[in-house]
Structure formats: C-alpha cells, structure tokens
Amino acid sequence: MKGMVFVELLQMAEQAMGEEAVDDIIESCDLPSGGAYSAVGNYPCAELMTLVQAFSAHTGAPENDLQRAFGRWMHERFVVSYPAFFRDKPDALAMLAAIEGEVHVEVRKLYPDVELPTFETERLSPRVLRLTYRSPRPLSDFCHGLVEGCLDHFGRAAVIERRDLSRPGESVAEFTITLAA
Ligand code: HEM
C-alpha cells in the first residue's frame, strides 16, 4: 500500500486526537516500518489495519466507522491532488463508473507498484449505479467512505445500499447507489 495512504491516515488521526496521542499510539504498535512513512514508499496493508485497530481502541469508535471516515477523508485529498479526474464528470455516478477503466488506470501508470482493487459497474437506470468492489485487502468500509465522499463532492443527495459478499481471502461489497430524483 502506498505511503501516501498512511501519511493521510496519520493526518486524519492527528486532527482528531492530537499529534502527541498519535505518536504514543504509533509507538505502542511496534510497527515493522517504525511508523515513519514516505509518501512514495510502499508498506504492508497489515500496518494500516494495526493502526486503525489501535485508533479504535483509543477512541472507542468501531474500526469499520474509522475506515469509512478515512475513505471520506481520502476522497477529499484526491479531489485536491487530482482535480482533472473530477472536472469532466457530469455526476458522481459517472465518476464512480470511471474508476476502473480510467482513474485507477492512470494511477497505475504513475505508480506501477500500486495495489488496487477491481470494480465492476452496471448502470441499472439513469439514476442508479451498481458498483461491485473486490479486493484481497479488507477495505470494504474504506471503499464505502470513498463512495460517500464522491457523492458529497458532486452535491446531489443519494441513497447507498450495501451488500457484503465477501468470502475467505476476498473482500466483496456490492453498492447500489440511487441518486435523488
Ligand atoms: C482522483 C481520484 C482517485 C485517485 C487518484 C485514486 C488513487 C488511489 C490510490 C493511489 C490508491 C492506493 C493504492 C495503494 O495503496 O497501493 C487507491 C486505492 C483505492 N481506491 Fe482509488 N483513487 C481515486 C478515486 C477513487 C474513488 C472515487 C473510489 C471510490 C470507490 C476509489 C476506490 C479505491 C479503493 C476502495 C481503494 C483501496 C482498496 C483496496 O486496496 O482494496 N478510488 N486509489
């Protein structure tokens, strides 16, 4: 997993808990990397899970809520760092439908070692998109937060239904996203 993801997680945590508490938590986690992340480096996803677990223990917030909040946070960062991807999309459904075939394709050109999930999309009607997330990493809640962040960014109310279809070794989440009429 890219270092930039860890850098952002620690920034979100610092905003919520303060730098000192985050430093103490990182230390208590005894991470192989020592918790010093370079945005361009690569680190095991297991370290992200360890950090989220430790932040959850410290704050009392469930891990899945923290992952989801982090997805929303990350989406805001993507909008700031990569505005071009968002500019030509008419709405959130168009953006979400373009991740697999356009956005993440460009991301892979920039960072050939990136670990990305796969998405299948099906347009059920002009207002409804079904997005199926698959990944060897347990990040369905992070994905949920990214979808919410994307809907917020485009500013049209929507309902997200989620079905968890995970099986051993693979996280699978099916999101059915309906834009308000
Ligand atoms: C400009 C927009 C975007 C950029 C630049 C971008 C880039 C990235 C990058 C760099 C990663 C990390 C991979 C790694 O750590 O090795 C990632 C992961 C991911 N992205 Fe995107 N992304 C964008 C938009 C989105 C949106 C809108 C979604 C909404 C569904 C999304 C879903 C995900 C998910 C779920 C993961 C991680 C899940 C996993 O590894 O299983 N991305 N993306």
Side-chain angles (χ1 to χ4, degrees):
M1 175 154 269
K2 298 303 302 172
M4 64 176 275
V5 179
F6 289 86
V7 169
E8 289 300 335
L9 178 70
L10 297 186
Q11 269 177 21
M12 183 180 90
E14 278 170 17
Q15 197 184 71
M17 296 179 259
E19 207 176 317
E20 228 171 287
V22 172
D23 285 347
D24 289 348
I25 294 168
I26 292 173
E27 208 158 309
S28 74
C29 285
D30 212 8
L31 300 160
S33 71
Y37 300 106
S38 136
V40 294
N42 267 310
Y43 306 91
C45 185
E47 286 202 16
L48 191 89
M49 307 321 287
T50 301
L51 284 165
V52 170
Q53 222 168 40
F55 295 146
S56 165
H58 182 85
T59 59
E63 280 176 55
N64 53 349
D65 289 358
L66 291 181
Q67 254 201 43
R68 196 158 145 187
F70 181 47
R72 282 174 167 268
W73 171 282
M74 205 63 212
H75 191 275
E76 280 184 33
R77 304 308 305 155
F78 286 152
V79 171
V80 172
S81 307
Y82 306 92
F85 287 123
F86 297 89
R87 227 174 263 139
D88 64 341
K89 306 296 185 297
D91 60 23
L93 301 191
M95 179 68 198
L96 293 170
I99 297 167
E100 179 71 14
E102 179 196 337
V103 180
H104 280 177
V105 172
E106 294 304 316
V107 169
R108 197 177 289 288
K109 287 185 199 163
L110 289 171
Y111 314 105
D113 55 358
V114 74
E115 292 178 318
L116 292 168
T118 62
F119 289 102
E120 271 160 51
T121 54
E122 194 184 347
R123 196 73 178 233
L124 301 181
S125 86
R127 287 196 291 120
V128 186
L129 180 79
R130 179 162 289 162
L131 174 80
T132 307
Y133 160 85
R134 283 173 208 278
S135 174
R137 292 166 293 286
L139 297 174
S140 296
D141 291 298
F142 176 66
C143 185
H144 195 155
L146 277 161
V147 171
E148 290 175 323
C150 190
L151 288 163
D152 279 356
H153 171 75
F154 284 92
R156 186 154 153 210
V159 176
I160 304 171
E161 284 166 84
R162 169 173 163 191
R163 254 195 337 147
D164 192 356
L165 304 172
S166 299
R167 37 197 198 115
E170 188 183 38
S171 308
V172 184
E174 182 195 84
F175 298 92
T176 306
I177 303 147
T178 305
L179 293 182

